[in-house]
Amino acid sequence: MELPSRPKGNQLLPPGEMTDIRRRLRLLASKHDIATVIACAFDHRTRILPFIFADLRMAPGGVRAVGSALVDSGMTKTRIVLQQWNKNFSPQKMRLDGRIPDLFLVSSMHLHGEECDRLIREANAIDEASRPLIIAGGPRIIYEPWHVFSANPDDPWGADVAITGEEYVLLSLLEVLLSIKSPRETMRQTFLRARDSGALDAIPGIVYAQSSSTRGPAEELIDTGIQQLLGDLDELPSPVIGYSLLEKPGKSDKLALHALTDKEVRKYSPIGSMVLTSGCKFRCSYCPIPAYNQRQHRVKTGERVAAHMGDIAERYGIQFFFGADDNFFNDTARTMDIADTLARHKKDDPKKFGRLLYATEATVHDSIRMQEHLPKIRESGLIAVWMGVEDLTGTLVKKGQSESKTLEAFKLLRSAGIAPIPMMMHHDTQPLISWGTNYGIINQLGVLRKAGALYTQVLMLTPATGSKWYEETFSSGLAFSTVNGEEIEPYRVDGNYVVASKHARPWMKQLNLLIAYTYFFNPLRMLWAIFFPKSNLPHLADETRPAEEIAKLPWRKRAMRWLKRKAKTQLLDAAIQCVGMAGLFHTYRHTIGWMLKLVTGRIERAAAPPISRLPMRDPAGGPAAHALPGTATQVQSTRTVDLISIEPAPQLLQLSLASGMGAERSAASATQANQPTSASGPAPESAPARRAA
Ligand code: SF4
């Protein structure tokens, strides 16, 4: 199921609201001493191609953005722990400023779900009186928030609240809590009070658990609806601060006294991720991005992008960025505003901007459409574009790509000095090799390599939460529920494992993925690449330091720099082959066992997507915006009634009564939802408006 949109005209926050809430929060935060730990969940079993190595060298943007927003809003005691760097981190042992933090935030993607749950369970075990308020967020929670609330009354664990939106939703929640917090209360106690009074119901974008007894296990989830998006990304706090909050990598289960120093940041995170734009005009059925963005395209201005990149480079020494764009070339004017500004800064201030390079994602269709602008875009520092080619023949999905168009886009990009990186999607009907056509995955990789692909990713079509095809992959019997008696663990749902296929021998699809990668990354190709590299792109060997600086160098140093630059273009392709082969070794190590299970084990297929086992509803009792079809909206509780007290007969009877708790609660919430949350709080939203969303 795709996430629903808010009503037309109401998808975006009013201009200036994000800036305003940051200002309001600073005033509130100055009256409280809040310590926060933000954990980024990471399952180390996901360390295979195509992201292996980059996964440890790029501090994720999401948690950095949240950390930046908190510090910017006055909550300066904030630390970010990346599980990719701190595998043994234990929430039970975390201390910040000598105490258990007031807030514990966990961000997770779906494939890191097991670690996310472990972190939350551990935090639950902290003594009730000092337990932090546990807030879950990230892509896993945005689409399926119920995962972080246990539905088992005998094993109750869970986050206190799940955020199904972006930074603004978190800041809104904190604004409500800080505006009513008494100095004697913990943040969690304030949260429980706010929750029980219905004060949270006017914040679109959160899900919390409700129970009939005061502190009992979760019985139902209240979903306050779809978030309002920030339209002007310039209103986001500067991402520069986030790097200074990172916990130093290590084996300890505790937090260090201090975060990484500025000088250490580049050593551990030489790649900086950055939001430039958000949203895409295409509507691929397997992709959740357009619906998540409520069909909006949101951007930062060129000046803002340049300021952030320049500041990060100056403070931490990071020179290479990866744009977290869905389709960077989506809108010509907006792309060119960023490209023109960066190119101008490179020219005017080569000391600060001269060495800055970046890579991002864009479509084949838009790469061709932007052809006249590609030289200027390269001038701005763009050196690689990841492109969702998926299937050259367009059989699986059509989004303006075909063999001829893809090759044209490759030619245009390469001649401008930009490396195209194809992202391929293998599927049931695609053979390994085809004769006479280019339908086979090996044929397609051959064509793309010949056209100049330096790197690639080949993933299997997998159910993607929040996409149009999601339920169908289950109801059509494509998705597996168990293989060899083993449930499909979240870390396997990343496209690298065959977990959905109607092929008679699904293990062959798994083998095809390995063969496809082996075809692309192998010693022969590496040797060939030393002499005939695909990395001989225009401008790759250009001098990046200012001409006047170079002129001052002795001729030997100048000659060495020239040699180094030439060697880089000559050997880069072979070096990438080496990286690919090292990644492939880990990919074999992890996925070959799964392939054997597919060969020998029994495959059970799922009949329906995994819905929330807890009922979900909106505060007014209507269907929850984030619930999948089939999710209950009312609590079906079983109460035991001892009839001895009302009947003379001595026998004990049990009656199962379907309680109307959901409806009772909704009446109360509907009233409360229309009350202002605080004098300075966000404008209350009516329950009908949320239902419509
Ligand atoms: S082009 Fe890419 S980002 Fe856009 S909808 Fe398709 S898969 Fe998603």
Side-chain angles (χ1 to χ4, degrees):
M1 183 194 84
E2 289 188 310
L3 287 180
S5 267
R6 292 178 66 85
K8 212 165 176 221
N10 189 240
Q11 296 106 325
L12 300 178
L13 288 166
E17 172 56 18
M18 182 68 174
T19 310
D20 213 32
I21 198 172
R22 287 161 55 196
R23 183 191 52 76
R24 298 197 303 262
L25 255 179
R26 259 174 243 139
L27 292 177
L28 284 168
S30 64
K31 297 177 196 140
H32 303 274
D33 179 23
I34 304 295
T36 308
V37 171
I38 306 168
C40 179
F42 186 89
D43 191 325
H44 281 255
R45 291 172 294 182
T46 59
R47 300 213 55 228
I48 54 179
L49 283 173
F51 306 115
I52 187 166
F53 308 127
D55 53 2
L56 298 195
R57 284 166 181 77
M58 184 168 72
V63 282
R64 281 192 295 107
V66 171
S68 301
L70 292 182
V71 172
D72 171 86
S73 305
M75 284 160 271
T76 50
K77 287 178 189 163
T78 299
R79 182 72 57 84
I80 301 171
V81 190
L82 307 178
Q83 265 197 308
Q84 44 271 66
W85 292 356
N86 303 87
K87 202 174 175 178
N88 302 324
F89 165 68
S90 163
Q92 283 193 53
K93 296 188 180 164
M94 64 184 167
R95 299 289 181 276
L96 193 61
D97 199 30
R99 61 190 163 107
I100 295 172
D102 305 277
L103 300 173
F104 179 51
L105 277 56
V106 184
S107 170
S108 180
M109 292 171 73
H110 183 79
L111 71 161
H112 303 302
E114 273 185 59
E115 279 304 309
C116 172
D117 295 350
R118 183 184 71 75
L119 291 170
I120 294 172
R121 275 174 179 273
E122 269 205 38
N124 278 183
I126 296 172
D127 152 50
E128 182 73 24
S130 43
R131 195 180 122 177
L133 173 64
I134 305 171
I135 304 176
R140 179 188 189 215
I141 311 305
I142 284 170
Y143 299 108
E144 299 192 330
W146 59 87
H147 283 303
V148 286
F149 300 96
S150 165
N152 181 359
D154 299 325
D155 180 21
W157 65 272
D160 293 305
V161 58
I163 303 274
T164 56
E166 299 172 354
E167 293 94 321
Y168 180 80
V169 180
L170 174 67
L171 298 188
S172 303
L173 172 68
L174 294 178
E175 182 178 37
V176 171
L177 298 184
L178 291 183
S179 62
I180 61 167
K181 185 178 183 304
S182 100
R184 291 180 305 281
E185 273 181 328
T186 64
M187 276 299 270
R188 184 157 182 270
Q189 286 163 345
T190 310
F191 166 80
L192 295 175
R193 195 157 56 81
R195 181 197 70 179
D196 295 345
S197 71
L200 307 179
D201 296 347
I203 306 171
I206 63 171
V207 172
Y208 60 83
Q210 192 85 267
S211 168
S212 52
S213 61
T214 324
R215 300 291 176 256
E219 288 172 20
E220 63 173 348
L221 299 178
I222 311 301
D223 179 349
T224 63
I226 297 293
Q227 66 170 330
Q228 264 189 309
L229 296 163
L230 174 65
D232 178 3
L233 300 184
D234 276 5
E235 285 191 51
L236 283 171
S238 163
V240 181
I241 317 163
Y243 283 107
S244 65
L245 310 174
L246 294 169
E247 174 74 7
K248 188 172 180 164
K251 292 187 179 154
S252 174
D253 51 2
K254 301 185 187 77
L255 296 180
L257 274 181
H258 305 286
L260 276 183
T261 61
D262 288 0
K263 278 195 180 138
E264 290 172 315
V265 168
R266 186 178 166 210
K267 177 177 165 195
Y268 297 108
S269 180
I271 310 170
S273 61
M274 182 172 287
V275 174
L276 310 178
T277 66
S278 185
C280 174
K281 63 186 167 219
F282 290 93
R283 304 278 181 272
C284 302
S285 302
Y286 55 85
C287 176
I289 287 166
Y292 168 78
N293 282 287
Q294 301 181 46
R295 319 291 181 213
Q296 304 294 313
H297 185 238
R298 305 176 289 149
V299 292
K300 277 183 187 166
T301 57
E303 282 303 337
R304 191 76 170 158
V305 170
H308 290 165
M309 279 189 183
D311 290 349
I312 289 172
E314 208 164 46
R315 180 163 168 186
Y316 306 109
I318 296 172
Q319 306 283 353
F320 186 73
F321 293 87
F322 197 92
D325 304 289
D326 303 314
N327 180 9
F328 183 57
F329 297 157
N330 195 70
D331 180 293
T332 310
R334 291 169 161 199
T335 306
M336 290 317 295
D337 173 46
I338 295 172
D340 284 335
T341 313
L342 282 173
R344 179 163 39 81
H345 280 282
K346 272 178 166 279
K347 205 169 158 201
D348 296 347
D349 189 356
K351 202 163 179 186
K352 186 170 174 181
F353 290 92
R355 294 172 64 197
L356 293 193
L357 296 171
Y358 66 105
T360 188
E361 289 190 29
T363 59
V364 168
H365 171 84
D366 289 311
S367 300
I368 297 174
R369 193 178 53 74
M370 297 288 283
Q371 55 184 286
E372 66 186 281
H373 301 292
L374 292 177
K376 178 59 90 179
I377 291 172
R378 176 62 185 85
E379 232 178 88
S380 74
L382 184 73
I383 53 157
V385 169
W386 266 251
M387 293 198 301
V389 174
E390 327 298 6
D391 173 1
L392 266 186
T393 60
T395 309
L396 176 69
V397 61
K398 281 190 175 57
K399 50 181 182 182
Q401 93 284 31
S402 64
E403 183 169 334
S404 60
K405 283 189 175 168
T406 305
L407 295 184
E408 188 186 349
F410 266 56
K411 202 170 158 199
L412 290 165
L413 286 165
R414 281 185 60 86
S415 59
I418 301 168
I421 312 289
M423 299 187 282
M424 308 301 290
M425 200 177 276
H426 189 41
H427 52 98
D428 274 357
T429 57
Q430 186 180 40
L432 182 66
I433 301 174
S434 56
W435 310 105
T437 68
N438 278 333
Y439 192 34
I441 182 71
I442 294 287
N443 305 58
Q444 299 197 3
L445 287 176
V447 168
L448 294 169
R449 173 68 191 173
K450 202 171 158 201
L454 290 169
Y455 195 77
T456 192
Q457 73 173 48
V458 186
L459 299 179
M460 186 72 192
L461 185 62
T462 315
T465 51
S467 69
K468 212 183 274 175
W469 277 356
Y470 184 61
E471 283 109 304
E472 206 188 312
T473 43
F474 289 91
S475 58
S476 64
L478 195 74
F480 305 159
S481 62
T482 60
V483 173
N484 200 25
E486 216 180 276
E487 282 195 10
I488 309 297
E489 293 173 271
Y491 81 93
R492 293 199 202 273
V493 191
D494 67 346
N496 281 301
Y497 296 86
V498 177
V499 295
S501 169
K502 279 193 178 168
H503 196 276
R505 290 176 292 279
W507 61 267
M508 283 183 72
K509 295 280 122 190
Q510 190 71 57
L511 185 61
N512 286 357
L513 293 180
L514 286 171
I515 296 174
Y517 273 131
T518 312
Y519 169 79
F520 200 90
F521 300 115
N522 60 67
L524 272 181
R525 199 181 290 286
M526 189 268 287
L527 287 175
W528 186 263
I530 292 174
F531 303 103
F532 305 99
K534 299 284 183 195
S535 50
N536 49 358
L537 292 160
H539 308 300
L540 197 61
D542 285 0
E543 180 55 79
T544 50
R545 283 174 68 177
E548 57 274 22
E549 260 184 46
I550 297 297
K552 287 181 197 155
L553 294 175
W555 73 267
R556 268 198 203 85
K557 276 203 173 167
R558 285 209 303 266
M560 279 308 289
R561 284 187 67 81
W562 181 86
L563 258 178
K564 263 193 199 169
R565 295 200 315 269
K566 286 291 168 200
K568 189 165 88 179
T569 49
Q570 185 68 26
L571 298 177
L572 181 65
D573 193 10
I576 292 174
Q577 281 291 318
C578 291
V579 171
M581 283 188 283
L584 187 54
F585 167 74
H586 292 284
T587 309
Y588 268 96
R589 203 165 59 83
H590 282 276
T591 62
I592 211 142
W594 184 248
M595 190 184 78
L596 294 176
K597 279 180 188 155
L598 291 171
V599 175
T600 57
R602 183 182 164 79
I603 296 173
E604 300 283 350
R605 289 168 191 280
I611 57 171
S612 169
R613 284 162 60 206
L614 288 167
M616 288 180 77
R617 63 175 175 86
D618 75 8
H626 293 83
L628 288 174
T631 306
T633 51
Q634 285 212 333
V635 181
Q636 300 292 316
S637 75
T638 303
R639 276 194 269 149
T640 303
V641 180
D642 180 357
L643 293 183
I644 293 173
S645 54
I646 54 172
E647 289 286 340
Q651 67 269 50
L652 186 72
L653 301 178
Q654 288 192 335
L655 295 183
S656 287
L657 303 174
S659 105
M661 184 189 138
E664 286 157 22
R665 164 79 194 159
S666 22
S669 297
T671 317
Q672 287 154 351
N674 288 302
Q675 302 301 315
T677 52
S678 73
S680 58
E685 183 200 32
S686 71
R690 276 196 302 282
R691 255 204 316 278

